Amino acid sequence: MIRPKLLCISLVFLIAVFYETDGYYSYGVDECIFDSREMTDVEYLRTFYFNQVKDVQFNSTIRKFVGFTEQGEKIAGYLNNDSATIQQMRGAVDRVCKHNGAVFFSSVLDKTVKPEVRVRSVKKASGTHPTVLMCSAYDFYPKAIKLTWLKDGQPVTSDVTSAEEMADGDWYYQVHSHLEHIPKSGEKISCMVEHASFTKPMTYDLEPSLSESDTKKIAIGTSGLLLGVILAAAGFIYYKRKSTGRLLVPH
Ligand SMILES: *[C@@H]1O[C@H](CO)[C@@H](O)[C@H](O)[C@H]1NC(C)=O
Ligand SMILES: *[C@@H]1O[C@H](CO)[C@@H](O)[C@H](O)[C@H]1NC(C)=O
């Protein structure tokens, strides 16, 4: 049975470094492999390397040391006979793995950050080319996320291109999905996002995009409003001046 390896915590510890003419390097690695958040099935491994060659390993599943080289087999035989060492190694699942695992889960792995989602049109349809829509999720954690395009609530899979999640370099991720589509009036386009930070899938509607004539209308409207504001201000200043002037004149 292949176990899904959810998490592997490695604690590297240096056992000994010997400097001679060429130098020898020996080190050990502790690993805890969890298959679930509940830590019901945890494998603890302590591996010893000598000059990068894996010699001997304690495997908590078989509860003993195994040698990988001639030298390693000798060491394994010796260590397996040492009841104090074996007892200590067998206790490491609880002492090292479950203890550190609980700390890692609560301080890092259980943390989630909600994505900021935008659904917009990035390219307008022209001639035979369809409109290109983009659904973007920004600044979320952890990495695993799923974006699904919906047309009138129904999932769309064709004409969709999704990129890989990208690391922002600050623990957060971003992801983008594109949909090529021919707009139809009355059709509702949205993007559904599934992420660990949400209790249920969240749906985001396409942001209304402005057509060229809309932009012109807004420009004219804004100019008109500005002119109105200037005239009103000028009128108000004129009125104030006049009324203040009147007050200053003694009767
Ligand atoms: C530890 O031993 C078990 C049982 O033989 C085996 O399935 C597992 O692959 C071993 N782990 C490693 C890392 O070799
Ligand atoms: C381990 O112990 C057994 C019995 O006490 C002994 O026969 C064997 O030689 C020992 N092996 C090593 C590698 O020390």
Side-chain angles (χ1 to χ4, degrees), residues 30-220:
D30 272 9
E31 287 164 87
C32 298
I33 301 165
F34 301 88
D35 72 341
S36 72
R37 170 73 182 86
E38 283 65 46
M39 295 191 276
T40 43
D41 199 358
V42 181
E43 185 169 272
Y44 167 75
L45 304 165
R46 172 170 283 189
T47 316
F48 294 97
Y49 296 83
F50 184 70
N51 283 352
Q52 296 194 4
V53 177
K54 180 158 98 174
D55 271 334
V56 58
Q57 181 177 64
F58 177 82
N59 179 335
S60 70
T61 307
I62 48 173
R63 296 163 65 82
K64 60 177 188 173
F65 285 92
V66 182
F68 294 92
T69 59
E70 201 187 323
Q71 180 68 13
E73 279 174 13
K74 277 190 208 161
I75 299 170
Y78 169 76
L79 291 173
N80 285 333
N81 260 13
D82 180 353
S83 62
T85 302
I86 288 297
Q87 283 314 312
Q88 201 198 357
M89 287 291 111
R90 287 177 184 170
V93 169
D94 289 326
R95 197 182 63 249
V96 178
C97 296
K98 292 191 179 170
H99 171 75
N100 286 319
V103 174
F104 282 119
F105 272 113
S106 67
S107 61
V108 180
L109 298 167
D110 284 347
K111 297 266 184 278
T112 62
V113 180
K114 286 186 174 63
E116 287 218 4
V117 180
R118 290 201 62 188
V119 190
R120 59 202 141 148
S121 170
V122 287
K123 216 171 112 203
K124 290 202 191 323
S126 66
T128 53
H129 296 285
T131 297
V132 180
L133 306 178
M134 180 162 81
C135 177
S136 306
Y138 297 99
D139 295 332
F140 57 88
Y141 182 88
K143 188 181 176 185
I145 196 164
K146 191 176 171 204
L147 307 185
T148 311
W149 284 98
L150 302 174
K151 274 189 193 175
D152 289 330
Q154 295 304 309
V156 185
T157 47
S158 57
D159 303 320
V160 173
T161 43
S162 295
E164 292 274 298
E165 297 88 351
M166 289 180 282
D168 288 348
D170 55 4
W171 285 83
Y172 298 117
Y173 291 89
Q174 58 173 289
V175 75
H176 307 274
S177 177
H178 290 87
L179 171 71
E180 288 192 358
H181 117 114
I182 312 279
K184 266 191 254 151
S185 82
E187 191 175 49
K188 196 174 153 213
I189 302 287
S190 43
C191 178
M192 184 172 75
V193 181
E194 290 163 84
H195 188 252
S197 59
F198 297 142
T199 49
K200 59 182 174 58
M202 298 291 283
T203 305
Y204 301 84
D205 291 340
L206 179 63
E207 293 168 17
S209 67
L210 300 173
S211 69
E212 220 167 279
S213 67
D214 285 342
T215 320
K216 268 185 203 149
K217 276 179 208 156
I218 289 177
I220 293 167

